[in-house]
Amino acid sequence: MIVLRLPLRFLRLLFVSVRLALGQIWANKTRSILTTIGIVIGVASVTTVFAALAGLKSNVLSEFEAIGTNKIYILSHRPSQGRLHYASWEVIRFTPDQFEGLTTHCPSVDRFTPVASHRDTLRVGDRTVEDVTVLGVSRAWHAIENRPLKMGRAFSAVDEAEARPVCVLTPEVRDELGLDRDCVGQSVLIGQRWFRVVGIVEPHVDSSVFNIGGTGLQVVVPFNTLWTMRQPWMHVIATSKSADLSEEAQAEIRFFLRRVRRLQPGDPDTFRLRVIDQYLQQFQRVALAITVVAGGIVGISLLVGGVGIMNIMLVSVSERTREIGLRKAVGARPAAILMQFLVEAVILCLFGGLLGVAVGRGLTAVLVSLPGAQLEQAHIPPWAIALSFGFAAAVGVFFGMFPAVKAARLDPIEALRHE
Amino acid sequence: MPRTAENNLISLRGVTRIYRMGVERIHALDGVDLDVKPNEYLAVMGPSGSGKSTLMNLLGCLDRPSSGTYDLDGRRTTDLGAAALARVRNERIGFVFQSFELLPRQTALRNVELPLIYAERGWWGSRERARRALERVGLGDRLRHRPNQLSGGQKQRVAIARALVNNPAILLADEPTGNLDSATSNEILDVFDQLHAEGQTIIIVTHEAAVAARVHRVVHMMDGKIHLDLPRAEDPILRAALGGAQTTAERARPRRTPAAAEPEGPP
């Protein structure tokens, strides 16, 4: 019975306190609203900042998603120390033969493509298109970059082996050149050399955050064709068989390349492996830093709001000294008085929190509709609402405690004599 | 007059209350013994500074004595903590103040209900009990009125109803007619008379002889001590104040404090 009666008594006390507090707040509407403005601003800024961050995050994450999490970029790199620090770029640079047998020696690697690109001018008849990105890749590129063919075919093994002058166009380039919708079999002048169109590929999706793989107009040719023409600077994009196997694949590639490039034990790598994961982690770190800084600023504004609450509660206690005296005289325990004022402060803060979340939602709606802000996905995460309310309540308890203790400690005789 | 602890509602023994004013110690109460039986109707009188307010605060468990003991209804109150004292005030004591002390924004009914929200017992029927208490003081038709819609006498009736709502062992009234005109005062005193007739123990602190004229026993305070404690009919000070004839036979002797000032006593 005792076990049940204590929480029951507490609940009753809480109920009474809430009723009293609501009555008091209702009786002082203007003052209550003015008091909570600090909390409203604090909570509104928390929710808005977190909404903007959430928007940015889902924006970035969806782009990561589109790029693919199992990709490994293999880039040549001059080490910053060791004997190879002074090696010439001719030694450092990749050549396609270094990657022969990569998939057989690296069981976790699914496929790979060499990539080289330059800008050139395209011509068909009297139509000229300048500044087109000429991309030299292998067939695997379509699968790796998720750019399937819309029409025609990809390069054949023979095209690649014999370095034939064939190309695949994006629809934009085709239209710019004034070619037919189905232009497979027609010829295009790339720089000084004629290429036969074998297919049309899905256009490049512009990324607003990353700029990987070039933008704008693209024409795709077999890597070998480009290599025999100009021996360009190249890098390689490989994919692991799954995102989980990325670590293994990287280790295998590293082992393979060190052997192929005849690096001795102790030599630093002359290449670098880059995975999206690293960029993701980098971004997460930046996002965390922004969150912490924003949280700090917001915390300060909530503290300022809390001081406002404390001030008004102190005023309230001294205004109602006689009432406190009377309540004590008719049998209110100190705990009941404490509870009454504490609950009032907490309710004020929660009320401010509610208004703040509402204002935050409004601001978020503005953010979403802002053109160019790229925050279309901004939304208030549920945990941010919970956090705001939790913090507002904590501010109420923290700053309401002093006035409430003051009220609870009042001597009933003195209080009843108070003018 | 033999007094046994068993049938006393109130029993004070050697109660002292000392206030410190800087280095000075003021004996607001100095060794007070007092016994009150159930259904007594008692007035505490005395000039200001005589200790009657301090006595009132102690009897109402708003304050604790510096030394001495206070038994209320057979229970020692002097060693209770703040929360336990609050419970005693809630269940055993009803206060009536000079300035009513009603909550201005609450209806009469809500004001009377106030002690019940702090009661240990459940709230079931608290609205009903508040209504009955108001009916008892003749305000059954003013339940929804706020204090600013009530006259002074009605306000004090609401305050009395609030004091009665928890069926207290004693009703303590501190200058209950101090803010009222004489006609209204009589009305309020009639209410006290009626409550006493119904069996309520009542203690009134007052300096008005007209108020004390209604009670059955008068305690005079002087310099923190009980100076006279007699049935009202035998009280010489009250008689003189009320202008009644005074005979030697009816002249009182100080009960315990012959050294204290006794203006009327013969040498």
Side-chain angles (χ1 to χ4, degrees):
Chain A
M1 277 314 270
I2 289 286
V3 182
L4 204 86
R5 259 172 66 188
L6 267 174
L8 217 68
R9 264 173 63 179
F10 178 78
L11 279 182
R12 230 177 63 185
L13 188 58
L14 192 68
F15 176 76
V16 168
S17 305
V18 167
R19 214 182 59 187
L20 286 174
L22 289 179
Q24 188 63 28
I25 290 168
W26 183 249
N28 298 306
K29 285 177 277 290
T30 315
R31 187 161 97 181
S32 302
I33 288 170
L34 288 177
T35 304
T36 53
I37 278 180
I39 302 289
V40 172
I41 291 172
V43 169
S45 36
V46 179
T47 47
T48 313
V49 165
F50 285 146
L53 271 175
L56 185 66
K57 234 172 181 170
S58 52
N59 211 350
V60 170
L61 288 185
S62 63
E63 295 207 353
F64 276 121
E65 209 56 42
I67 289 164
T69 47
N70 58 347
K71 266 191 220 170
I72 301 165
Y73 288 83
I74 308 170
L75 311 165
S76 48
H77 167 68
R78 188 202 287 272
S80 58
Q81 57 192 25
R83 75 184 167 90
L84 288 164
H85 179 53
Y86 304 103
S88 86
W89 285 115
E90 286 306 312
V91 175
I92 300 294
R93 68 178 299 186
F94 286 140
T95 54
D97 57 289
Q98 288 174 350
F99 291 89
E100 272 166 26
L102 180 75
T103 42
T104 41
H105 286 94
C106 303
S108 301
V109 173
D110 190 26
R111 45 168 69 102
F112 73 95
T113 174
V115 180
S117 69
H118 69 277
R119 303 274 171 136
D120 217 329
T121 304
L122 265 61
R123 231 177 355 210
V124 174
D126 52 355
R127 295 286 286 258
T128 301
V129 183
E130 287 181 352
D131 206 22
V132 177
T133 302
V134 181
L135 212 54
V137 296
S138 72
R139 271 172 302 166
W141 177 83
H142 295 285
I144 290 171
E145 289 288 5
N146 196 20
R147 303 266 304 268
L149 285 139
K150 288 168 72 109
M151 223 175 266
R153 61 170 177 85
F155 312 130
S156 66
V158 182
D159 290 335
E160 288 180 340
E162 298 185 359
R164 283 182 178 167
V166 291
C167 69
V168 170
L169 302 179
T170 58
E172 293 97 326
V173 174
R174 175 192 65 194
D175 298 343
E176 290 272 326
L177 287 170
L179 292 167
D180 304 332
R181 225 181 93 72
D182 183 3
C183 58
V184 171
Q186 301 185 7
S187 288
V188 177
L189 190 63
I190 302 177
Q192 307 299 320
R193 197 169 167 190
W194 286 99
F195 282 72
R196 193 162 53 86
V197 177
V198 295
I200 301 293
V201 72
E202 284 283 344
H204 176 74
V205 182
D206 273 352
S207 161
S208 54
V209 182
F210 303 101
N211 203 354
I212 299 168
T215 52
L217 302 168
Q218 285 181 330
V219 54
V220 185
V221 302
F223 178 80
N224 249 352
T225 310
L226 210 60
W227 183 257
T228 50
M229 284 165 63
R230 355 173 354 122
Q231 304 207 343
W233 194 265
M234 64 174 282
H235 67 272
V236 172
I237 305 172
T239 54
S240 54
K241 284 189 171 143
S242 74
D244 295 338
L245 284 172
S246 179
E247 296 278 326
E248 281 92 331
Q250 288 172 61
E252 289 161 10
I253 293 167
R254 182 159 177 260
F255 182 80
F256 175 81
L257 282 178
R258 281 186 71 89
R259 211 192 52 202
V260 168
R261 287 161 78 89
R262 294 179 212 292
L263 297 179
Q264 284 151 22
D267 281 346
D269 292 344
T270 54
F271 54 89
R272 265 204 277 211
L273 304 181
R274 282 277 175 264
V275 289
I276 280 302
D277 227 36
Q278 288 168 331
Y279 296 103
L280 191 64
Q281 280 167 13
Q282 230 165 355
F283 170 75
Q284 300 276 33
R285 273 199 296 276
V286 172
L288 182 70
I290 297 174
T291 308
V292 167
V293 170
I297 293 169
V298 155
I300 290 168
S301 74
L302 276 180
L303 286 190
V304 172
V307 172
I309 296 277
M310 176 152 77
N311 184 38
I312 212 70
M313 290 310 297
L314 282 173
V315 169
S316 184
V317 168
S318 73
E319 265 181 4
R320 288 149 74 191
T321 301
R322 276 180 89 95
E323 180 194 320
I324 294 164
L326 171 76
R327 286 179 186 278
K328 289 195 153 191
V330 301
R333 284 172 295 136
I337 300 291
L338 182 95
M339 195 75 158
Q340 181 187 340
F341 283 91
L342 203 55
V343 163
E344 194 175 318
V346 170
I347 287 184
L348 271 178
C349 284
L350 287 182
F351 174 65
L354 200 71
L355 268 178
V357 168
V359 172
R361 286 197 91 117
L363 288 176
T364 305
V366 171
L367 276 185
V368 167
S369 62
L370 268 183
Q374 292 186 3
L375 289 170
E376 299 81 11
Q377 304 192 58
H379 63 280
I380 302 174
W383 60 263
I385 294 178
L387 185 85
S388 308
F389 270 97
F391 213 88
V395 163
V397 170
F398 187 78
F399 288 98
M401 191 53 93
F402 174 59
V405 165
K406 207 180 150 191
R409 283 209 182 137
L410 279 177
D411 176 32
I413 302 165
E414 294 289 324
L416 278 168
R417 227 180 268 151
H418 188 265
E419 282 309 312
Chain B
M1 200 190 252
R3 280 180 178 139
T4 54
E6 295 85 64
N7 58 9
N8 281 331
L9 191 59
I10 287 173
S11 176
L12 296 185
R13 286 290 173 270
V15 166
T16 305
R17 182 70 175 91
I18 298 165
Y19 293 110
R20 281 195 182 77
M21 305 275 278
V23 286
E24 222 177 323
R25 287 151 65 91
I26 294 167
H27 289 250
L29 283 183
D30 192 1
V32 169
D33 296 339
L34 181 70
D35 291 304
V36 178
K37 287 192 165 53
N39 200 23
E40 275 203 85
Y41 195 4
L42 185 121
V44 178
M45 300 189 76
S48 68
S50 62
K52 62 182 194 300
S53 292
T54 308
L55 180 64
M56 192 73 172
N57 291 335
L58 285 171
L59 288 175
C61 288
L62 288 167
D63 197 5
R64 264 176 291 202
S66 307
S67 67
T69 60
Y70 171 22
D71 295 350
L72 173 64
D73 213 2
R75 190 168 172 211
R76 182 66 43 102
T77 66
T78 18
D79 37 353
L80 293 177
L85 276 183
R87 186 172 176 183
V88 170
R89 289 198 294 271
N90 184 250
E91 293 176 355
R92 313 301 293 146
I93 295 163
F95 285 101
V96 177
F97 302 98
Q98 178 174 358
S99 46
F100 323 134
E101 306 297 346
L102 300 179
L103 299 180
R105 278 189 299 271
Q106 308 272 344
T107 61
L109 202 59
R110 285 276 192 190
N111 266 293
V112 174
E113 253 188 297
L114 185 67
L116 295 176
I117 70 172
Y118 296 115
E120 296 279 311
R121 279 165 286 159
W123 294 335
W124 314 122
S126 67
R127 183 62 50 92
E128 180 58 26
R129 283 166 70 188
R131 198 175 58 73
R132 276 207 305 272
L134 278 166
E135 277 167 1
R136 233 176 125 186
V137 297
L139 283 180
D141 55 342
R142 295 282 190 278
L143 303 179
R144 307 278 166 203
H145 288 59
R146 283 166 208 282
N148 59 7
Q149 297 165 313
L150 296 171
S151 71
Q154 287 170 332
K155 282 184 206 169
Q156 195 58 301
R157 281 165 193 254
V158 173
I160 294 170
R162 181 180 62 196
L164 290 174
V165 73
N166 239 345
N167 292 322
I170 50 171
L171 187 63
L172 286 176
D174 189 0
E175 303 280 7
T177 58
N179 280 4
L180 301 173
D181 60 48
S182 63
T184 319
S185 294
N186 276 327
E187 234 177 76
I188 294 300
L189 293 172
D190 289 344
V191 173
F192 281 123
D193 287 354
Q194 173 212 326
L195 293 174
H196 172 252
E198 289 167 13
Q200 182 69 52
T201 312
I202 301 173
I203 300 176
I204 302 178
V205 170
T206 185
H207 62 272
E208 289 175 63
V211 175
R214 303 266 192 140
V215 304
H216 297 168
R217 177 181 166 196
V218 182
V219 172
H220 287 275
M221 301 286 298
M222 182 77 83
D223 298 331
K225 293 186 169 74
I226 290 181
H227 159 61
L228 264 181
D229 179 0
L230 286 171
R232 192 246 307 155
E234 297 171 24
D235 191 296
I237 302 171
L238 207 54
R239 280 194 166 214
L242 291 170
Q246 191 180 7
T247 63
T248 322
E250 282 172 321
R251 225 172 249 167
R253 295 163 306 279
R255 192 160 60 94
R256 199 180 311 108
T257 54
E262 165 48 300
E264 314 237 1

